[in-house]
Amino acid sequence: MSFHIRPAQAQDIIHIMHIYNREIENGLATWNNISKSLEEYQQWFADLEKNNFPLFVAEEVATQRIAGYAEYSSFRNFNGYKHTVEHAVYIDPQFARQGLGKALLLTLIKHAQQQKIHVMIAAIDHENKGSIHLHEQLGFKHTGYMPQVGQKFGQWRDLVLMQLLLDRKIP
């Protein structure tokens, strides 16, 4: 399979919604437990655009199916954090283990560097060893471990915080 990474378009939002809502129902990459509506996703997309934040999709070339997406936005809504962003990458399980997470994350990093972002933050469930390893490969450093700060599926979840200083070369 061959994939193309490109900026998301309005017609991609429904596919992004399905990927994220599936993760809400079945996975630990988000601790959200309430599915979102198409209208909520459309508003989210508009907010990202309004604030000049990126949203990229990985599209399977042969079928034009959206296989995953990645975005970043404000880390915290205080002026002092304006050069720090938090990112998210989600892959449709049917396309897992094909390097899409890495490709999307590298696209986000490059975009953030071009935008003069200083720090990129990752907040990862402690059991998501694949994501933690990927972030380590790309130079992210462990900067925090927060036990039992969230819940999913009736269990307390631990959060791993990692960050990348963007004014340096990526390995």
Side-chain angles (χ1 to χ4, degrees):
M1 279 185 252
S2 176
F3 298 92
H4 172 64
I5 295 177
R6 62 169 175 76
Q9 301 167 0
Q11 65 266 24
D12 299 323
I13 299 306
I14 193 159
H15 304 288
I16 290 169
M17 179 186 77
H18 290 306
I19 292 169
Y20 187 73
N21 282 343
R22 187 177 303 123
E23 186 64 27
I24 288 171
E25 294 168 11
N26 302 305
L28 295 171
T30 178
W31 295 346
N32 189 2
N33 61 3
I34 300 171
S35 295
K36 293 187 177 190
S37 69
L38 182 57
E39 293 76 24
E40 289 173 302
Y41 277 95
Q42 290 167 333
Q43 183 61 55
W44 168 72
F45 181 64
D47 290 344
L48 287 174
E49 283 188 323
K50 180 178 123 188
N51 291 297
N52 296 313
F53 289 127
L55 175 59
F56 294 102
V57 294
E59 179 181 60
E60 185 183 17
V61 173
T63 64
Q64 296 183 325
R65 185 166 171 212
I66 302 303
Y69 72 95
E71 55 87 12
Y72 69 72
S73 59
S74 297
F75 170 62
R76 296 187 75 190
N77 288 323
F78 300 110
N79 195 13
Y81 293 104
K82 68 183 177 184
H83 298 288
T84 300
V85 295
E86 182 176 352
H87 70 278
V89 177
Y90 292 94
I91 306 298
D92 183 315
Q94 295 179 4
F95 296 99
R97 303 224 178 275
Q98 297 185 43
L100 293 177
K102 183 175 186 177
L104 283 163
L105 185 49
L106 284 169
T107 301
L108 282 182
I109 291 168
K110 181 178 178 184
H111 185 277
Q113 288 173 322
Q114 292 169 343
Q115 298 301 310
K116 306 292 186 224
I117 300 296
H118 181 61
V119 176
M120 184 174 277
I121 303 287
I124 307 168
D125 185 281
H126 75 287
E127 289 183 7
N128 192 342
K129 304 299 184 203
S131 182
I132 292 168
H133 180 70
L134 170 60
H135 283 82
E136 289 170 341
Q137 279 183 325
L138 297 180
F140 282 75
K141 303 294 181 203
H142 291 258
T143 54
Y145 188 88
M146 302 175 75
Q148 300 185 17
V149 294
Q151 285 189 342
K152 185 80 184 257
F153 305 130
Q155 296 179 333
W156 288 108
R157 309 300 310 164
D158 298 353
L159 188 66
V160 173
L161 295 173
M162 301 179 78
Q163 73 179 54
L164 179 67
L165 296 177
L166 293 169
D167 52 2
R168 63 174 201 63
K169 285 278 190 196
I170 304 305

